[in-house]
Each structure stands twice: as structure tokens, then as C-alpha cells.
Amino acid sequence: MVLVSFTSCDGVFNNLYDDEVPSVQTGMSVGKLSINASEYSQWVYINFHNRTIENIDITTDSVTGVANFTEPEEWDIAIHKFQVKTNNGTAIETEYTSIADLKSAGKLPDVSFAPDTWYEEKVIIDLSGMMSGNIKYCASYVNDVIDNWITSSGMPPTYTTSDKVYVVRFADGSDVAIHFDSYMNNDGTKGFITCSYEYPLTF
């Protein structure tokens, strides 16, 4: 398990992923996250309220084969590879391609916020048996709206990002705006995600 606190600093975010660990640059309520979600066997939990990132391993029971993980007591969103879930939150996809454009609009789009959906077989945790049709999953909630931030097609897969800003409304009523900037590191390894955010989102 890796626990990383958000740090306060100014200036440009340098040497992204040099250490290949979760980190964050933030000034006031606006910042940029770098998240190592490259492992299928982990969830990465992000807490915007207390500015922490925590990597949680997914284990598989040797007898039942059931995947297990223990969520932190406090968290806001979690990322698995490219999938995203919320902690009893809801989400919308906006038409905007930057948080600045969303802010310039002066208000949120008039669309309904969508809750997470429970899936038994959507979150893949082990692809080692894929050639024999033995893919292992972890039952979990996933937010289908935010899940649209990246799609894949073909084999080997080609990835396409939506370039849209997403807004997540947490259980306490506060909002965060998120724009997923990149899905791989400088070496081209998938699952190293950078995103810009504003929390709390205000107009």
C-alpha cells in the first residue's frame, strides 16, 4: 500500500512519473494529479477533502477465488487502470474540454448526475489466462459516465480519450471538476494517468 499526501507548491509540474508513484501539484483549489494505476491488481483511492492518494492491493482467496480489497475509511474517487468509481457520489460529462471553459460558462450543464453501477465482471484484475479464456474479475461499482473518459478498440487496442471535463458530486454536496490529460507516462506505459482538477468547484 502506498499513501501519498497532496503537496502544496507553485510552478510547473516537472519530471512527471520519474519516480512512478502517485503525486500531486496543487495551488489553492486547482491542481494536477499524477496517478500510477498501471497495475490490474490495485485500486488507487483519491481523497480530495484531505488531499491523499492511497494504492490498495486486490487479493484473491486461494480457496474460493473471490477477489477482495479493503477500502480506506475516507475517499472520494478510485481508479482501477482506466475505470473510475465514486464513494456514494454521482457524475456528469460536460461538453467542455478544459476546466477554464467550464468555469467561463458560469454554471454546470443542465443534465442529471448519474450514480455508480454494480458490476460482477467488468473490473479485470488478471489477464494472464486470457488466451485460455480465463480472465479474473473483481466485483465492484463503476461510474459509467466517467468511464467514458477513455475507450479502446481493436487488438492490440487503440485508445481514444474523450477530452471532456467531468464533474463528480460527492456525498456532502461538494463538486470536483476533472479533466483527464493523459493515460500513459513518458515511456508509453498505459495506466499512468494525469488529470487536472478543481476542488471544490465554484462559479
Side-chain angles (χ1 to χ4, degrees):
M1 179 180 71
V2 178
L3 177 63
V4 179
S5 294
F6 289 22
T7 57
S8 260
C9 58
D10 296 316
V12 178
F13 195 63
N14 296 316
N15 301 319
L16 197 60
Y17 299 128
D18 281 357
D19 298 324
E20 296 193 351
V21 296
S23 60
V24 65
Q25 171 190 339
T26 172
M28 303 297 289
S29 63
V30 179
K32 184 179 287 289
L33 291 170
S34 61
I35 303 157
N36 182 350
S38 60
E39 299 293 333
Y40 280 102
S41 59
Q42 285 187 338
W43 277 100
V44 182
Y45 288 85
I46 302 167
N47 190 322
F48 290 97
H49 287 76
N50 64 19
R51 297 181 175 176
T52 58
I53 302 176
E54 193 171 355
N55 286 40
I56 299 293
D57 290 332
I58 303 169
T59 60
T60 303
D61 189 281
S62 59
V63 177
T64 65
V66 175
N68 300 293
F69 56 93
T70 302
E71 293 182 329
E73 289 187 9
E74 298 180 356
W75 59 282
D76 293 319
I77 69 170
I79 299 178
H80 174 272
K81 203 68 174 181
F82 300 132
Q83 294 158 326
V84 183
K85 64 181 177 180
T86 72
N87 187 5
N88 295 312
T90 54
I92 60 171
E93 179 184 271
T94 76
E95 63 185 284
Y96 304 103
T97 57
S98 74
I99 295 174
D101 287 344
L102 170 62
K103 295 276 289 184
S104 295
K107 63 178 182 179
L108 289 175
D110 186 19
V111 295
S112 298
F113 280 75
D116 294 6
T117 301
W118 178 259
Y119 289 98
E120 293 288 338
E121 295 187 346
K122 185 168 186 175
V123 178
I124 297 172
I125 61 171
D126 190 349
L127 279 172
S128 60
M130 181 175 62
M131 298 305 294
S132 59
N134 184 22
I135 299 176
K136 295 181 180 179
Y137 297 90
C138 176
S140 177
Y141 283 98
V142 173
N143 191 283
D144 293 325
V145 171
I146 316 175
D147 215 28
N148 287 327
W149 81 269
I150 189 168
T151 56
S152 64
S153 62
M155 188 57 68
T158 299
Y159 294 92
T160 304
T161 59
S162 70
D163 200 32
K164 298 296 179 62
V165 173
Y166 295 86
V167 177
V168 180
R169 178 157 293 167
F170 302 133
D172 65 1
S174 62
D175 297 334
V176 63
I178 304 173
H179 181 271
F180 293 91
D181 305 324
S182 177
Y183 63 90
M184 60 184 177
N185 64 6
N186 295 329
D187 295 328
T189 303
K190 312 288 191 301
F192 283 88
I193 300 169
T194 60
C195 58
S196 303
Y197 73 91
E198 178 171 329
Y199 177 79
L201 175 64
T202 57
F203 291 95

